[in-house]
Amino acid sequence: MLTRRKFIQQSSLLAAGLMVNKTDLFKMHKDLGLQLYTVRDEVKDLKNALRKISAAGYTNLELFGYNNRMYFGNTVAQFSAMLKENNLKTVSGHYGLSDMLHAPDYNWNTWKYLIEDATLLGHKYITIPYLDDKHRTGDDFKRIAERLNKGGELSAKAGITTAYHNHNFEFEKEGDITKYEILLNNTDAKLVKFEMDLYWVENAGQNPVDWFKKYPGRFPMWHIKDMEAPSATGAKGQTCEVGKGVIDWKKIFAAKNIAGLDYTFVEQEQYRHPVFDCIKTSADYMKKNLLK
């Protein structure tokens, strides 16, 4: 029987819950993630690459290499089995579907096939990774926002979220705003999320935390790749192991709830040491300092 006292207590708890800032409800997964592109030259021996990724301490892979519903000559089912053999899961993949992004009369068939394959892999996110330099006008970004919304509607029915991954060109101005803002302003926040590549945001002279505050909850995935100090000529540094560069990771991670952070993925594009040594260095830093 619900007494008056219990009713008041429950009502008070409900009211308190409603007053909690929604950004405080996000919880970062502590799975150690790696973008597979980091070891792109090693996937020619795919089984060995997956084994070494797992041995370095990673448990979550963000995929690349999808082509004609295959991964490096393997069917999606075969590739999924290889991941499981190495105690790896995948919650996101990078999919460069140029027809979906740019074809005037796109019929959404390749997107529907992709959703089927992403479901088999266990993806939570389908991520658009890149726009070629021929499709970067303001009108292109408006069209892509529309396509992302439609893709988001279709993927949501399968329990998957559509996302977009940035580089630095998205921070170029189109009139009074950046092209990144065109995407953010013209996509449905419930259907389309953003994977923030923190290296490229910093490379563009932007402060990631400013973007989190302006668009709270829109950035559930982050690419974690560090930046070497600028050279004597003033050139911006290349990517390096996490913790070895100049990016202030602790400051950024302090704002993870505002961003809505869900998953992080280490990525590195250039190396001064063997790649598997690099990913182990980054893994150790992440576990010790950031994934707490």
Side-chain angles (χ1 to χ4, degrees):
M1 179 177 177
L2 185 62
T3 65
R4 181 175 182 275
R5 182 177 180 181
K6 287 183 179 180
F7 175 79
I8 293 172
Q9 288 175 335
Q10 291 176 5
S11 298
S12 297
L13 289 171
L14 177 59
L18 293 173
M19 291 173 66
V20 172
N21 187 321
K22 289 183 179 180
T23 59
D24 291 334
L25 301 177
F26 294 107
K27 297 294 183 182
M28 174 187 70
H29 284 84
K30 295 184 180 181
D31 310 74
L32 185 57
L34 180 76
Q35 165 52 247
L36 185 59
Y37 182 76
T38 303
V39 298
R40 57 198 172 276
D41 295 330
E42 282 69 28
V43 294
K44 56 184 179 289
D45 186 352
L46 184 59
K47 290 184 178 180
N48 183 59
L50 295 177
R51 179 179 61 81
K52 288 189 172 182
I53 290 168
S54 181
Y58 294 90
T59 58
N60 185 16
L61 270 188
E62 183 175 52
L63 305 184
F64 94 104
Y66 183 78
N67 185 31
N68 291 324
R69 306 192 75 175
M70 303 276 284
Y71 279 99
F72 314 109
N74 299 277
T75 66
V76 172
Q78 289 170 333
F79 187 61
S80 180
M82 292 173 69
L83 294 177
K84 291 176 183 176
E85 288 171 7
N86 289 280
N87 298 312
L88 294 167
K89 68 177 183 179
T90 176
V91 299
S92 175
H94 277 195
Y95 298 100
L97 300 182
S98 59
D99 55 347
M100 174 268 189
L101 293 171
H102 311 305
D105 299 314
Y106 181 56
N107 61 15
W108 292 96
N109 283 340
T110 57
W111 189 258
K112 293 172 184 175
Y113 296 144
L114 172 56
I115 290 173
E116 292 177 8
D117 293 336
T119 299
L120 180 59
L121 288 162
H123 279 351
K124 293 184 179 181
Y125 298 93
I126 291 173
T127 307
I128 299 300
Y130 184 73
L131 300 180
D132 62 71
D133 55 10
K134 296 179 181 178
H135 297 98
R136 296 181 185 173
T137 67
D139 287 340
D140 287 326
F141 276 85
K142 290 176 184 177
R143 180 188 66 254
I144 290 162
E146 292 178 0
R147 298 287 172 90
L148 289 172
N149 281 331
K150 177 63 175 178
E153 289 179 11
L154 295 173
S155 67
K157 294 176 182 178
I160 300 172
T161 300
T162 293
Y164 179 90
H165 164 273
N166 68 277
H167 288 76
N168 57 353
F169 59 81
E170 287 89 351
F171 299 96
E172 298 169 354
K173 283 293 187 73
E174 182 71 23
D176 295 331
I177 63 173
T178 64
K179 295 172 181 177
Y180 203 41
E181 287 169 292
I182 293 176
L183 289 180
L184 283 155
N185 293 342
N186 290 281
T187 48
D188 187 329
K190 295 180 181 179
L191 298 175
V192 180
K193 302 296 183 181
F194 289 77
E195 178 176 57
M196 181 174 278
D197 190 308
L198 293 155
Y199 170 89
W200 286 116
V201 174
E202 297 266 352
N203 182 279
Q206 301 287 314
N207 181 346
V209 178
D210 290 343
W211 288 93
F212 301 157
K213 291 177 179 178
K214 187 172 182 179
Y215 297 96
R218 299 294 302 273
F219 306 97
M221 293 185 292
W222 295 356
H223 270 192
I224 311 296
K225 54 189 180 194
D226 220 330
M227 179 189 294
E228 291 183 350
S231 68
T233 62
K236 293 173 181 174
Q238 69 176 32
T239 62
C240 63
E241 299 93 316
V242 182
K244 298 293 185 180
V246 298
I247 295 179
D248 188 345
W249 294 112
K250 292 186 179 179
K251 178 182 175 181
I252 295 171
F253 270 77
K256 64 181 183 292
N257 288 349
I258 300 172
L261 180 59
D262 195 6
Y263 291 99
T264 59
F265 301 99
V266 169
E267 185 181 33
Q268 192 169 337
E269 296 182 11
Q270 301 92 13
Y271 322 96
R272 301 193 187 277
H273 307 286
V275 63
F276 290 114
D277 291 345
C278 290
I279 68 169
K280 181 65 166 62
T281 297
S282 292
D284 291 345
Y285 182 87
M286 291 285 293
K287 287 187 286 188
K288 182 179 180 180
N289 298 283
L290 302 177
L291 296 181
K292 297 181 178 180

